[in-house]
Amino acid sequence: MIRPNKLGLFSTLWQFLSLFRKNFATMRRLLTRIMSRVLLSEAFTPLMSSEAQIHAKGRRKLVVGLGNPGMDGTRHSVGMAVLGALAARLRVADRWRPDKHVSGEVIVCEEPTSVVLLRPRLLMNVNGVSVARAAGKYGIQPEDILLVHDELDKPLGKISIKQGGSPRGHNGVRSCIDCLQTDVMPRLRVGIGRPAGKSSVERHVLGRFSCEEKKVLDSVLLQSVDLVLSQL
């Protein structure tokens, strides 16, 4: 038999766990924002470095493939796959270089168009740190940053351009909005579809494309590159 004082303890513990569960998403977003601010160390401002002036020759674009480092081939990192296909189309796939300042891999292109390609090397939830650092280094305004990311609410095979606005639940986009302090960045949303049955969303997005999905993916990458180039 449980004593009355223990009943009170269990009741308090249960209330705490219930409150934590209800507010977990909010707490996680708050912690992510704090982590981003710590990593960024200073507020985003374009043209914050002399290197930006060296590189900038006219209005330059930044194309970012959002994703998780070391998780190539997963649905959540399909944005990075698009960047790989884009680099191949521009014939610069051998020019990826690590850049410690921006915590990512970059390619700087001047021909046929002035564009910086970025693959962040930070976790998805803090991708915005890399984006803000790259934008500052190369003197790129937020409205000239194209974010390429996975989209749960579109089936695989569907892509679309979204002109700024809310992150629609995408943590990588939310991180970019927090770090750049604006939501004007256009996005290329690459559909990955929602999980079937009782599979969790997290397991779905972090999972690799199936053999059947890969047959569709090749066409998706080609279409995505065409759409990216139309925005440059």
Side-chain angles (χ1 to χ4, degrees), residues 100-141:
K100 291 183 179 180
H101 177 78
V102 305
S103 300
E105 296 176 322
V106 300
I107 295 176
V108 180
C109 300
E110 297 299 344
E111 298 293 340
T113 185
S114 184
V115 61
V116 177
L117 310 184
L118 170 66
R119 295 191 299 202
R121 303 307 294 171
L122 297 173
L123 293 176
M124 175 72 88
N125 287 12
V126 288
N127 269 190
V129 174
S130 290
V131 177
R133 286 176 176 174
K137 178 175 181 176
Y138 296 105
I140 300 171
Q141 299 291 337

Side-chain angles (χ1 to χ4, degrees), residues 208-227:
R208 296 184 177 278
F209 288 103
S210 67
C211 292
E212 289 300 315
E213 288 175 323
K214 287 179 180 178
K215 296 176 182 178
V216 180
L217 185 60
D218 289 340
S219 174
V220 169
L221 295 180
L222 289 174
Q223 294 176 47
S224 297
V225 169
D226 288 340
L227 198 47

Side-chain angles (χ1 to χ4, degrees), residues 83-102:
L83 263 285
L86 175 60
R89 178 81 66 88
L90 295 174
R91 298 182 180 180
V92 294
D94 60 341
R95 286 170 50 185
W96 287 109
R97 296 291 182 270
D99 187 326
K100 291 183 179 180
H101 177 78
V102 305

